Amino acid sequence: MNLRILAVWMVLIGPSPQRSLPFVQPNDNRTPAGTWRGDTLHLALVVQMAVWHPEADAGPAITVAAFGEEGGAPQIPAPLIRVPAGTVIDATIRNALTDSTLIIRGLYTHPATAIDSIVVSPGATGHVVFAAGAPGTYLYDADAGVQDTLVEREQLGGALVVDSAGARTDDRIFVMNIWGDMVDSSRYGNALTINGKSWPYTERITLAVGDTARWRWVNATGRNHPMHLHGFYFLVQRHGTPLADTAFIPARQRLVVTEELRPGATMTIAWSPTRPGNWLFHCHIAFHVLPGDAELSAGPSIMHDGQHMAGLILGIVVPSPPKWRAPARSRPRRVTLAISELPRHRDSLRTIGVAIADHDAALPPARSPGPVLVVTREQPTDVTVINHLAQTSAIHWHGIELESYSDGVAGWSGAPGRLAPFIAPGDSFVAHLTLPRAGTFIYHTHLNDFSQLTAGLYGAIVVLEPGQRFHPATDHVFVVGWDGPADPPRIAVNGDIDSTPGSLELSAGVTHRLRFVNIGPAQLVRVSVLRDSTPVMWRPLAKDGMNLPPAQTTPRASGMLVRVGETFDAAISPEPGTYVVTVALPTGRPVYHRVLRVR
C-alpha cells in the first residue's frame, strides 16, 4: 500500500446502504459461537452483506460482507470460536453472497504445515470437520474474491482460540480488521477497527491498580502493526501465525512497550497497571491512528476529548484507588524544552526545532530533530515544555513509566476533571518525570502527528544510572525519522539524509554503546555494523529501554529490525580498523552509512 495514499482526507464512501440489509454488531469477543453436543462444537456460519458503522452508531456507514451465525446478527470481527483442547469442530459456512466465491482459511487443525482453504460458491454451503489441535490463538478469515491490490476487505476475520486443559478464560481477545477502498482517483477510504470499532468509539477497558490484564491480539489485516502501550511494559508470552502459536519459555519472554504484529499474526501478552489514570494501547503507524487516514469521517481533526486520534487505539481507564497518593517528589531537577519553527531546509514543508537546557541555563539554538535529553534514574525531573509554534502541540514521553497526567496525550491523559491540556501557542506545560530504569527512550509530538513528526519534533531520551555521565565518545545515538512528508519517505538519521555523512572517530580497546531509535511515522528499518561488508559481532543489551533477558544478550552477528516506536541498544568492542553503521530498508536498500574509524 502506498503510504501517501493513506494520508488523505476522507469523505463518506459509496451509495447509501440498502435499508433491507441487517446491521453489523461489533464483536467484543466475550461470547463464543456455536452449540455443544458432547465434545463436538457445532458451528453454523453465514457470510452475507450487511451495513457496518465502524465509528459512531449513527455515523458513516459502509456496505460489507460479514460473518455471522445463522439466525444471528452479522459480526465484525467474525464470531469468536473458543474451545478447549481436544474439541472436534463441525462447521458449516453458507455463502449468502450473490456474486462472490468465498475462500475460507484457518478452519483446520493447528499446528499445520500449510494454509488450507475451503471454497464456497455463491449460494452454496461448505462443510468441514476438524480437531481443534494445540492450544493457542489463531486467525480464521475469508476472501470474497477481491483482486485489486488497492482494495482491502479484511473485515472477514476473527479469532479461533484453543484453551489448554484447566486454563483461565477471563482474558480479553482483540481483533484488528480493515476495510479500505478508493473513493476516487486520489482518495482512499479506511475503516481500521479493534473489535469492530474505530477510536474514539472503541471499547474503554477499565482495570484496577494491581490487576493483571491478560490479552490476546489477532491481526486480521494485511498490514504490520507495531502495538504500543503508554506508561507501562507488557510481557510478550506467545507469538502466533496462521499455522502455529508458539509459547516463549520464561527465559525468552521480553518486557516491551512496543511489539509488532505482522499480517495474520497473533500475540498473547500480560501487564499490570501500577498507577491510576487514562492510558492508551495503539498501533504506532501514524497512518493507522490519525483522523483523515484511519476513519471514514470527512473534515479536519476535532481538537478536544481525545478526538485528534482515530483508528487502531484502545483506551484504558484505571480509576484512582481510595486514599491513593502519588509517590513524593523532592528537589526535582528542572529542565526547559522549547519547540519552535525553524527556517525550512531542503524541500521540507516546515522544520520544527527543539532546544533543551536546565532551567537556570540559557537555551542553546534549537535543533531539528531535537537533541538528546539526558536524565538520571530515579532523579525527579520536571520538564517545562514551551510551545513557540503557531499551532497547538503536546509531547509524549514514549516508553516512560510516569503519572498519567504527564503522559502527553492532550485531552486524554490524566483523569476525569483533570485532563492534560493542549499546549497552545505561547503556552507551556510541566511534565513530571521520575524514571525508574536506565535505558533509551523517546520524546515526540502526540498532536498533529504527521506534520510535526516529519518536521523534526522528536528526539532520544537517555536515562543513566546515578553517578554516570553521558560520554558521546563511547555512547552513540542514532535516531531514525522522516525528513518531510515526501512520498516515498525520505529517511533521516539524526536529521541527516546524506547516506554517507562524515565519519566518527572511536577509541579501540573500549566498549561502545549504540542506541538506535525509530520514530518515523511508518517504515521499519534494519540496523547493523559492518566491516568489509561483513556484520561484526555485537552484544544486544536492551529493547525499549528494558534490559533483555540473559538468554538474548549473547554476542552475535550484528543486525536487527527496529520497528516504528522501538528502541534497541547493543554494545561493540571494536579492534582498530574501519567500520560502517548501516540503516537499511527491509528490501536491503541502505539509506544511511556512518563510517567509524577505530584507532
Side-chain angles (χ1 to χ4, degrees), residues 471-514:
H471 297 288
T474 56
D475 209 330
H476 313 282
V477 182
F478 301 91
V479 184
V480 180
W482 286 16
D483 182 70
D487 180 23
R490 189 168 51 206
I491 305 297
V493 180
N494 295 342
D496 201 331
I497 64 168
D498 184 350
S499 62
T500 55
S503 62
L504 288 175
E505 302 295 322
L506 272 60
S507 297
V510 298
T511 298
H512 295 262
R513 187 174 188 127
L514 309 179

Side-chain angles (χ1 to χ4, degrees), residues 191-343:
L192 293 92
T193 62
I194 297 172
N195 284 357
K197 285 293 186 178
S198 175
W199 177 274
Y201 306 101
T202 48
E203 179 185 356
R204 296 293 180 271
I205 304 300
T206 300
L207 298 169
V209 170
D211 277 356
T212 297
R214 298 174 178 86
W215 289 354
R216 300 172 187 257
W217 282 84
V218 179
N219 181 6
T221 82
R223 308 189 199 178
N224 295 338
H225 301 295
M227 303 303 293
H228 171 58
L229 177 63
H230 284 219
F232 306 95
Y233 286 86
F234 59 93
L235 184 68
V236 182
Q237 298 173 314
R238 303 180 70 103
H239 259 293
T241 72
L243 297 176
D245 189 7
T246 302
F248 298 132
I249 62 173
R252 299 201 67 82
Q253 293 180 359
R254 292 179 291 108
L255 284 163
V256 301
V257 300
T258 307
E259 186 78 2
E260 184 176 68
L261 270 178
R262 302 185 69 181
T266 66
M267 70 176 176
T268 302
I269 66 174
W271 69 281
S272 179
T274 56
R275 283 155 279 118
N278 293 343
W279 309 96
L280 295 178
F281 189 76
H282 67 93
C283 177
H284 217 281
I285 300 293
F287 305 111
H288 299 174
V289 294
L290 294 183
D293 300 336
E295 61 179 358
L296 298 176
S297 303
S301 58
I302 304 170
M303 290 298 188
H304 65 83
D305 195 30
Q307 294 185 36
H308 52 89
M309 305 177 288
L312 299 177
I313 303 172
L314 195 67
I316 303 155
V317 178
V318 182
S320 183
K323 300 182 181 180
W324 168 264
R325 292 291 182 271
R329 304 176 76 254
S330 62
R331 301 180 62 186
R333 173 193 173 198
R334 296 194 298 161
V335 175
T336 298
L337 187 153
I339 57 179
S340 58
E341 298 277 352
L342 295 179

